[in-house]
Amino acid sequence: MVTNIIPDRLPLPAPLQRSLDRTGLRLLQPDGGPTIDFRLPAGEAALVGPDSVSWRVFKNPVSLFIGGVAAVILELAEPGVRSGVWEHSTFRTDPMTRLQRTGLAAMVTVYGAQSIARPMIERVVRRHDRVSGHLPDGQRYRANDVAFLDWVQATATFGFGEAYSRYVARLSAADMDRLFAEAKVSAGLYGATGAPASWAQWQAQLETMKARLEPHPIVHEFLDIIHRAEAFPGVLKAVQPMLIRAAVDMTPDWVRARLGLNEQGLKPWERPLVHLAGIMADRIVLPSGPAVQSCLRLGLPQDYLYRRV
């Protein structure tokens, strides 16, 4: 198993380490966007603690990318969420900036000091309060409808957790339950008061969505856009299509079939390559990344989250 031959922390030549560190920052910091210093305020706690499953999962850029794409696929299958995302965001015209802002918001929600995370979430809620419209059938939607928020929160937690468990390191049933329970803290602040608090509740919610999730050309348009997006620089861009196929592959079987995505999953020979990429990403310490910077904020070693559990 590749898991056993790669050390807990993967030492890299200094130039490569700096390059990957810059790449990680680029993925989270859009030009002209907000810059968050995760080292401050010193000693201040986040919404969840450093011993949480969330802190372990969110440090991995490979599984975050895969899980984020999978979550969006599930979200775009829901008519109300699809309309809100597609009609009231810059995803079609500037997908990378949208992905960067979403990624930064996720990092702040998990790792950021509470005095930074809570006001950021309040700003997001206020922006969403201004988003509304009508579905093709005439039904009115609002971005802050609890049912929509619950679905977005649930798909994000599923996406990030399942991607980490499948392509990095297997999470136990108890770990997955903890991940959903930890997400409830921020979900409530976003207004997703009915978001699932366990894997069983996620499965129950997914079952209730069978009548609402539907195929739509926008799902395929999204995948085309994400294939073209400059998410990874240089040689790393070669793996981007494979990571997108990994996201399709991990969506629930019936969802994948309903959306017409069965032919867009991983080929058998690609699965071990994605797994290897996920494992390696989990063992490369990125000093400028939110996970490391937040550990330093709390007086923990920079490799605290990279020690084998």
Side-chain angles (χ1 to χ4, degrees):
M1 289 287 290
V2 290
T3 313
N4 297 325
I5 63 175
I6 300 175
D8 289 4
R9 291 168 295 286
L10 196 60
L12 297 174
L16 179 57
Q17 179 83 38
R18 288 193 295 271
S19 176
L20 291 174
D21 208 29
R22 287 194 299 270
T23 297
L25 281 178
R26 174 183 171 275
L27 290 174
L28 291 175
Q29 302 284 4
D31 293 337
T35 299
I36 305 295
D37 190 341
F38 287 86
R39 296 169 301 176
L40 300 174
E44 186 175 321
L47 293 172
V48 291
D51 293 328
S52 63
V53 178
S54 300
W55 275 47
R56 190 187 349 152
V57 165
F58 276 75
K59 75 179 185 299
N60 191 298
V62 169
S63 60
L64 284 185
F65 180 83
I66 295 171
V69 172
V72 175
I73 290 171
L74 290 167
E75 290 162 16
L76 293 179
E78 204 288 327
V81 177
R82 181 172 62 242
S83 294
V85 169
W86 224 242
E87 295 173 10
H88 298 276
S89 78
T90 59
F91 206 104
R92 284 174 291 181
T93 57
D94 190 7
M96 202 53 227
T97 298
R98 170 60 190 250
L99 288 172
Q100 288 169 318
R101 288 173 178 163
T102 301
L104 181 60
M107 292 296 105
V108 173
T109 299
V110 172
Y111 295 115
Q114 291 196 35
S115 62
I116 295 174
R118 290 178 181 275
M120 182 209 70
I121 293 172
E122 290 171 0
R123 289 193 295 273
V124 171
V125 172
R126 287 197 296 271
R127 283 201 302 271
H128 286 174
D129 269 336
R130 300 193 293 269
V131 175
S132 63
H134 290 86
L135 302 179
D137 64 2
Q139 179 183 350
R140 185 171 176 79
Y141 69 83
R142 293 177 57 255
N144 275 341
D145 283 348
V146 173
F148 294 164
L149 294 172
D150 289 347
W151 182 238
V152 170
Q153 287 290 321
T155 57
T157 305
F158 161 76
F160 297 136
E162 180 67 13
Y164 190 90
S165 185
R166 184 176 296 216
Y167 301 119
V168 184
R170 180 63 61 182
L171 296 177
S172 68
D175 283 338
M176 290 299 288
D177 283 347
R178 281 183 60 196
L179 187 67
F180 275 97
E182 290 162 7
K184 282 286 287 185
V185 178
S186 59
L189 296 176
Y190 279 108
T193 54
S198 68
W199 180 261
Q201 289 184 17
W202 155 249
Q203 290 293 309
Q205 184 182 27
L206 187 61
E207 185 67 23
T208 67
M209 296 299 289
K210 281 189 172 180
R212 283 197 63 81
L213 302 190
E214 62 182 21
H216 197 281
I218 283 177
V219 175
H220 298 274
E221 185 180 350
F222 160 72
L223 290 173
D224 288 340
I225 288 172
I226 206 68
H227 270 97
R228 296 193 304 270
E230 297 290 334
F232 298 99
V235 68
L236 293 178
K237 187 167 177 56
V239 305
Q240 187 169 322
M242 188 162 56
L243 300 185
I244 295 169
R245 289 193 291 274
V248 172
D249 212 58
M250 60 168 267
T251 57
D253 293 346
W254 67 266
V255 175
R256 194 165 59 250
R258 181 174 295 181
L259 299 182
L261 299 176
N262 275 340
E263 303 303 316
Q264 297 191 41
L266 285 171
K267 300 171 178 63
W269 61 269
E270 291 179 316
R271 290 190 178 91
L273 295 180
V274 175
H275 188 205
L276 179 61
I279 293 171
M280 293 180 67
D282 215 47
R283 298 181 185 177
I284 297 174
V285 179
L286 299 177
S288 299
V292 169
Q293 295 286 293
S294 297
C295 283
L296 296 177
R297 184 182 79 245
L298 297 180
L300 299 170
Q302 73 166 7
D303 66 347
Y304 179 80
L305 296 172
Y306 296 83
R307 299 171 181 180
R308 194 80 61 86
V309 293

